[in-house]
Amino acid sequence: MRLIARVAQMYHGEGKRQAEIAEHLRMSQATVSRMLKRAEQEDIVRTTVIPPPGTFTELEAAVRERFGVGEVIVVDCTEDREGAIMARIGEGAAHFLEATLQPDEIIGVSSWSQTVLRMVDNIHPSKTTRAKYVVQTLGGMGDPSVQTHATQLTTRLARLTGAEPRLLPVQGVAASPEAKAVMLADPFVRETMDLFGAITLAIIGIGAVEPSELLARSGNIFSRAELSALTDAGAVGDMSLRFFDLRGQPVRTPLDGRVIGMPLDELARVPRVMALAGGAAKTLAIMGALRTGAIDVLVTDRFTAARLAG
């Protein structure tokens, strides 16, 4: 045991490499490796992780365990206010995307999300890893005064990740199912939508039933009566205008037939889905979204995480 402790001291305390320890003590490197493992088993060496200030590992673990989501990133925020929250979530999501982007990634992006827009504002151009495509997953046409947001979000993200943009040049909400059918017949629209099944990373916002300012100004929303009908049907939120209830079950109404974008079941098949959302008004929507089983990574703020952890 004394020798095991000595090996552990040399490795962890003195910073010597295993090969140096083996040469000094005249033993094989395999023996040194076994002794280091034994040192942990015998509690001679204990590993302590000390989270740096501004990180919230306990909150992240609580949300992961409650909702069964793979990864939760909780960002620091000084006030529980929508503008401040979106800015910090955008920063955190940008850093995570830069660190985890895979070569030839096919990125799907919900382009009417203000929080996703904040993420794009914070991304640095990738110097090594290049994505293949950035695919718009919800119709990007809308009111000309905000149209540039949706188009620029997709094209900027493509440029920053070295990818080719694939736009969805139609409204997010068609006037009728018949109008939607006409739009889907367009070969450019079909070409983009055919890529939905190849997306490897989807980046989405989570919306409450009440639309965000950007979405409301775009014109890609339902009428007040239609939104009330969704609430009456149990809807608490949406991902790309696909609505769900607090249990994470889809809320299907005839309105679904007018949305041009990725359905929830198709989103759930994407290998990695990163959702960006925070704020008191979206807490129930985030709970429902996490229970859909579609989300792999949630980026949120510390105030919302505390509400989610319950």
Side-chain angles (χ1 to χ4, degrees):
M1 294 300 286
R2 181 258 159 209
L3 190 56
I4 290 170
R6 174 64 180 138
V7 167
Q9 173 62 31
M10 292 175 75
Y11 184 75
H12 294 285
E14 299 171 18
K16 295 188 183 299
R17 293 180 292 110
Q18 290 188 27
E20 292 178 279
I21 299 169
E23 184 179 352
H24 181 79
L25 296 176
R26 302 293 190 273
M27 60 176 64
S28 71
Q29 194 167 329
T31 300
V32 171
S33 180
R34 283 196 299 272
M35 285 187 168
L36 288 171
K37 287 179 183 173
R38 181 79 184 277
E40 292 185 19
Q41 293 166 356
E42 297 290 344
D43 222 15
I44 294 168
V45 173
R46 299 178 186 178
T47 303
T48 303
V49 177
I50 302 173
T55 62
F56 305 92
T57 53
E58 290 184 5
L59 264 182
E60 291 173 351
V63 177
R64 283 199 309 269
E65 289 166 17
R66 182 176 182 190
F67 294 97
V69 63
E71 194 61 44
V72 176
I73 299 162
V74 175
V75 299
D76 199 3
C77 197
T78 54
E79 51 186 324
D80 195 1
R81 186 175 54 82
E82 187 180 32
I85 285 170
M86 281 197 296
R88 297 310 306 271
I89 290 175
E91 291 170 11
H95 178 75
F96 186 77
L97 177 63
E98 289 171 9
T100 62
L101 185 68
Q102 299 296 303
D104 292 325
E105 195 101 73
I106 298 178
I107 304 170
V109 64
S110 174
S111 57
W112 289 110
S113 166
Q114 287 172 286
T115 316
V116 175
L117 184 60
R118 297 295 177 88
M119 179 200 76
V120 175
D121 287 341
N122 283 281
I123 292 175
H124 299 96
S126 178
K127 293 177 180 164
T128 51
T129 307
R130 295 177 67 87
K132 189 173 184 180
Y133 298 120
V134 172
V135 183
Q136 204 167 15
T137 57
L138 177 64
M141 299 291 283
D143 186 292
S145 65
V146 292
Q147 170 62 51
T148 51
H149 283 294
T151 306
Q152 285 186 6
L153 188 156
T154 305
T155 54
R156 280 174 58 209
L157 181 58
R159 187 172 68 251
L160 290 163
T161 57
E164 180 185 331
R166 290 298 181 90
L167 300 174
L168 196 54
V170 287
Q171 284 85 4
V173 179
S176 66
E178 293 75 22
K180 175 180 173 177
V182 171
M183 293 178 196
L184 293 185
D186 184 290
F188 292 107
V189 173
R190 275 267 51 96
E191 190 177 348
T192 296
M193 294 186 75
D194 285 345
L195 283 171
F196 285 1
I199 290 171
T200 57
L201 167 64
I203 304 171
I204 58 168
I206 299 171
V209 176
E210 188 68 30
S212 70
E213 180 193 352
L214 181 62
L215 189 61
R217 287 168 59 205
S218 77
N220 286 300
I221 56 170
F222 300 114
S223 69
R224 179 61 53 192
E226 289 167 336
L227 292 173
S228 295
L230 281 164
T231 302
D232 292 343
V236 295
D238 78 284
M239 291 183 281
S240 298
L241 294 180
R242 304 296 186 175
F243 290 84
F244 47 82
D245 63 20
L246 191 55
R247 295 174 298 122
Q249 297 300 307
V251 174
R252 302 193 193 280
T253 71
L255 302 178
D256 242 12
R258 291 166 48 202
V259 175
I260 302 177
M262 181 179 278
L264 285 177
D265 56 352
E266 201 163 349
L267 180 68
R269 290 195 290 271
V270 174
R272 193 161 61 121
V273 176
M274 181 165 71
L276 285 54
K282 289 189 177 180
T283 302
L284 291 180
I286 297 168
M287 287 181 175
L290 291 173
R291 289 176 177 138
T292 65
I295 295 170
D296 302 289
V297 182
L298 172 70
V299 188
T300 192
D301 65 279
R302 66 185 179 96
F303 299 106
T304 303
R307 290 187 286 265
L308 293 173

